[in-house]
Amino acid sequence: MMENMKEKWQEFQVTLEEITTLSKREYLLTLAVCLLSGLVIGMLVSPKKRIMIGSHNGNNNGNGNTGGLPQDEEAEEAEA
């Protein structure tokens, strides 16, 4: 089994020595695949897994009005 693996390794090394040409399109696609796969791998390996959009840091006016203008108009009529 070990000899079989050595033979396959020798055959593989011979194929690496061959000179091949790439078209500009193939070269560009190869670069794009490498870039995008690097981004995906970086996102998967990164330590931060959760992202919070809208951090709930207290940027509200404190009146508890969630409905908008209709409650404001009712409040003004009650005051008048």
Side-chain angles (χ1 to χ4, degrees), residues 4-73:
N4 189 17
M5 293 292 285
K6 287 182 182 180
E7 289 176 14
K8 287 184 179 182
W9 177 249
Q10 294 295 330
E11 291 175 9
F12 180 68
Q13 284 182 336
V14 170
T15 60
L16 291 178
E17 293 174 0
E18 295 176 4
I19 296 175
T20 58
T21 57
L22 290 175
S23 68
K24 290 181 182 179
R25 179 181 294 158
E26 290 173 337
Y27 185 71
L28 180 66
L29 288 174
T30 303
L31 287 176
V33 166
C34 289
L35 176 75
L36 293 175
S37 62
L39 287 172
V40 169
I41 290 171
M43 286 182 213
L44 293 175
V45 175
S46 68
K48 187 173 185 178
K49 299 294 182 189
R50 293 185 182 179
I51 297 175
M52 178 179 281
I53 298 174
S55 61
H56 306 292
N57 59 359
N59 287 336
N60 57 4
N61 58 8
N63 66 1
N65 183 6
T66 58
L69 289 176
Q71 287 183 351
D72 289 342
E73 291 173 359

